């Protein structure tokens, strides 16, 4: 059986070595030494600062939305994303609206966003997503931010190693950039996530917020328990040395898929001179019927790709129950036709060939 992904596991000896230290210290959570070490090493590896590790990527989003006080505020996000992008905003009581996506990059369309802003719509914050690790048009978003005065919180769940045209990590963009360290991701801590803050003051507030709002032993603000444990940090440290190897292997697979399927499907357009994290292998069919045929054939051969993200967020029952409708034809078109093929460390060329041979000629 071949699933859409298989979590990468490091050398068990390396992981146990870290765990033995946890047993010796008996410091299991609350910003322990491994969490501190992982924070520093990720900052150094990615070229970022003001990084905060959290218990999940969704928690990172919730903290970011809380810091920007988005309750009852107007927020625009993309309809083509995982449910957590929407649900974390809903959880914080934001007034959510959607902007259609670009049909080539599958990211939030800056052209459509500009139209919304120029129509006079009041916007307090936008939440773009680097979809499948593909960097958004951050330069244009920054220009619109300066002109229309709103906050920018990036959902970078898929994009931890993505770089922009200046070869800088994409997590440096926006007011806050949140990422996931879930087991399915390119780099993971089993469960976990984090955020990078442009403001050191907001980083300090968030650090207290994930620890019940405490500073030392005194209440500083309302908070929640959103900390990363030492056992999760140990997994991250054990994997971090292998990150380049994992990336290279996934990039090899993506290139081979692209070579074999070039005449059969379409692909997401990546901006020139940028680098997208090899987090997924999404392909685009001409019709939903073609997708259904290929998915059925693959399933019959014990291969299980996945439809990310279908249906589009604005079409999900939890959203449509609010009796509001959106006309977002590009997002609907893409959502109906995208299938993510298996991509994980160690998948062989012969396995990829077998998958691609299942496609109609």
């Amino acid at each position: 059986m071949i699933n859409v992904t298989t979590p990468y596991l490091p050398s068990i000896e390396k992981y146990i070595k870290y765990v033995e230290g946890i047993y010796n210290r008996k410091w299991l959570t609350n910003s322990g030494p491994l969490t501190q070490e992982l924070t520093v090493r990720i900052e150094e590896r990615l070229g970022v600062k003001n990084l905060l590790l959290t218990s999940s990527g969704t928690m990172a989003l919730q903290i970011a939305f809380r810091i920007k006080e988005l309750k009852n505020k107007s927020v625009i996000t993309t309809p083509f994303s995982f449910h957590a992008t929407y649900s974390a905003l809903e959880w914080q009581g934001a007034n959510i609206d959607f902007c259609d996506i670009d049909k080539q990059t599958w990211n939030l369309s800056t052209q459509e966003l500009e139209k919304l802003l120029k129509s006079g719509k009041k916007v307090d914050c936008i939440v773009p997503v680097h979809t499948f690790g593909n960097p958004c048009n951050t330069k244009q978003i920054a220009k619109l931010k300066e002109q229309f005065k709103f906050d920018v919180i990036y959902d970078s769940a898929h994009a931890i190693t993505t770089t922009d045209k200046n070869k800088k990590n994409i997590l440096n963009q926006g007011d806050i950039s949140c990422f996931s360290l879930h087991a399915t991701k390119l780099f993971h801590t089993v469960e976990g996530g984090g955020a990078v803050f442009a403001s050191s003051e907001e980083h300090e507030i968030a650090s207290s917020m994930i620890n019940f709002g405490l500073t030392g032993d005194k209440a500083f603000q309302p908070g929640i328990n959103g900390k990363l444990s030492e056992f999760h940090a140990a997994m991250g440290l054990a994997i971090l040395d292998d990150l380049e190897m994992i990336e290279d292997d996934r990039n090899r697979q993506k290139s081979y898929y692209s070579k074999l399927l070039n005449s059969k499907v379409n692909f997401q357009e990546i901006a020139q001179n940028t680098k997208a994290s090899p987090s997924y292998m999404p392909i685009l069919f001409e019709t939903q019927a073609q997708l259904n045929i290929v998915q059925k054939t693959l399933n019959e051969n014990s291969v299980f790709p996945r439809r990310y993200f279908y249906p589009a967020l604005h079409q999900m029952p939890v959203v449509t129950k609010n009796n509001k409708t959106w006309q977002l034809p590009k997002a609907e078109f893409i959502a109906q036709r995208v299938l993510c093929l298996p991509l994980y460390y160690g998948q062989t060329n012969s396995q990829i060939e077998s998958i691609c041979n299942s496609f109609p000629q």
Side-chain angles (χ1 to χ4, degrees):
M1 183 171 70
I2 300 177
N3 290 316
V4 68
T5 190
T6 297
Y8 177 81
L9 289 173
S11 158
I12 193 168
E13 290 79 15
K14 182 185 287 188
Y15 182 66
I16 288 173
K17 185 176 180 181
Y18 282 113
V19 169
E20 285 174 345
I22 298 173
Y23 269 70
N24 291 334
R25 289 185 296 271
K26 296 181 173 57
W27 190 346
L28 307 185
T29 186
N30 291 358
S31 191
L34 296 186
T35 302
Q36 295 176 42
E37 180 184 350
L38 182 60
T39 300
V40 171
R41 289 191 59 192
I42 292 176
E43 286 185 332
E44 292 174 345
R45 170 70 171 73
L46 302 182
V48 300
K49 60 182 181 179
N50 296 326
L51 182 146
L52 179 67
L53 294 176
T54 59
S55 56
S56 70
T58 304
M59 176 60 68
L61 287 171
Q62 290 176 348
I63 293 296
F65 300 156
R66 182 81 176 192
I67 281 179
K68 292 300 184 181
E69 299 179 346
L70 296 186
K71 185 176 182 179
N72 298 322
K73 296 291 183 66
S74 176
V75 181
I76 291 178
T77 190
T78 171
F80 189 60
S81 183
F82 183 56
H83 177 54
T85 307
Y86 169 85
S87 64
L89 282 167
E90 174 75 17
W91 195 269
Q92 293 300 325
N95 295 324
I96 307 164
D97 209 344
F98 294 103
C99 174
D100 212 350
I101 63 173
D102 181 270
K103 207 170 180 179
Q104 279 69 50
T105 68
W106 311 347
N107 287 328
L108 186 147
S109 167
T110 52
Q111 289 82 7
E112 295 296 329
L113 176 61
E114 187 170 8
K115 288 179 186 177
L116 283 172
L117 295 167
K118 286 184 174 179
S119 72
K121 178 177 176 57
K122 168 64 176 171
V123 177
D124 298 294
C125 181
I126 67 166
V127 182
V129 177
H130 303 299
T131 310
F132 300 129
N134 188 23
C136 293
N137 188 344
T138 56
K139 184 177 181 180
Q140 183 61 21
I141 289 172
K143 286 182 179 179
L144 294 173
K145 169 183 167 67
E146 180 64 24
Q147 181 178 355
F148 293 96
K149 310 302 179 186
F150 51 76
D151 293 321
V152 179
I153 299 172
Y154 281 105
D155 183 336
S156 306
H158 310 160
I160 192 168
T161 62
T162 293
T163 57
D164 60 21
K165 292 182 179 180
N166 297 316
K167 310 302 180 186
K168 290 186 177 180
N169 191 283
I170 208 72
L171 299 179
N172 287 298
Q173 297 292 337
D175 296 291
I176 308 172
S177 188
C178 304
F179 57 90
S180 172
L181 296 175
H182 185 263
T184 58
K185 297 300 184 286
L186 173 70
F187 170 66
H188 73 86
T189 57
V190 183
E191 288 281 4
V196 173
F197 298 83
S199 164
S200 57
E201 181 181 355
E202 288 185 344
H203 175 261
E204 184 178 354
I205 294 170
S207 299
S208 166
M209 198 175 283
I210 65 167
N211 186 33
F212 307 99
L214 299 175
T215 298
D217 59 352
K218 296 182 179 179
F220 176 65
Q221 61 185 320
I224 196 168
N225 184 5
K227 303 182 297 294
L228 189 75
S229 82
E230 287 292 271
F231 289 94
H232 292 89
M235 180 60 75
L237 286 167
I239 293 175
L240 192 57
D241 289 335
D242 300 337
L243 181 53
E244 185 173 352
M245 176 184 70
I246 298 167
E247 277 194 285
D248 288 346
D249 188 64
R250 283 173 170 245
N251 280 323
R252 168 191 61 80
Q253 294 174 51
K254 292 195 69 167
S255 294
Y256 199 49
Y257 269 125
S258 298
K259 177 183 177 181
L260 296 180
L261 294 176
N262 186 50
S263 63
K264 299 180 180 181
V265 298
N266 295 307
F267 302 97
Q268 184 182 27
E269 183 180 293
I270 310 298
Q272 285 189 339
N273 300 318
T274 65
K275 185 194 77 171
S277 290
S279 298
Y280 297 87
M281 185 59 219
I283 57 174
L284 181 70
F285 291 89
E286 292 292 334
T287 68
Q288 185 171 203
Q290 291 175 345
L291 182 153
N292 291 336
I293 291 170
V294 169
Q295 186 174 24
K296 182 175 183 294
T297 302
L298 289 172
N299 288 172
E300 289 171 349
N301 289 281
S302 297
V303 178
F304 298 96
R306 185 170 296 174
R307 297 185 72 174
Y308 293 113
F309 303 99
Y310 178 77
L313 287 176
H314 69 287
Q315 297 176 304
M316 296 182 72
V318 70
V319 180
T320 57
K321 71 177 183 180
N322 296 323
N323 297 318
K324 186 173 182 180
T325 59
W326 290 268
Q327 299 299 316
L328 305 169
K330 294 174 186 175
E332 293 171 17
F333 180 94
I334 298 299
Q336 289 170 356
R337 293 163 173 81
V338 165
L339 185 69
C340 284
L341 300 177
L343 186 74
Y344 54 88
Y345 178 81
Q347 185 175 215
T348 66
N349 282 356
S350 62
Q351 287 175 311
I352 294 172
E353 289 166 6
S354 177
I355 290 169
C356 295
N357 288 337
S358 298
F359 284 62
Q361 297 301 317

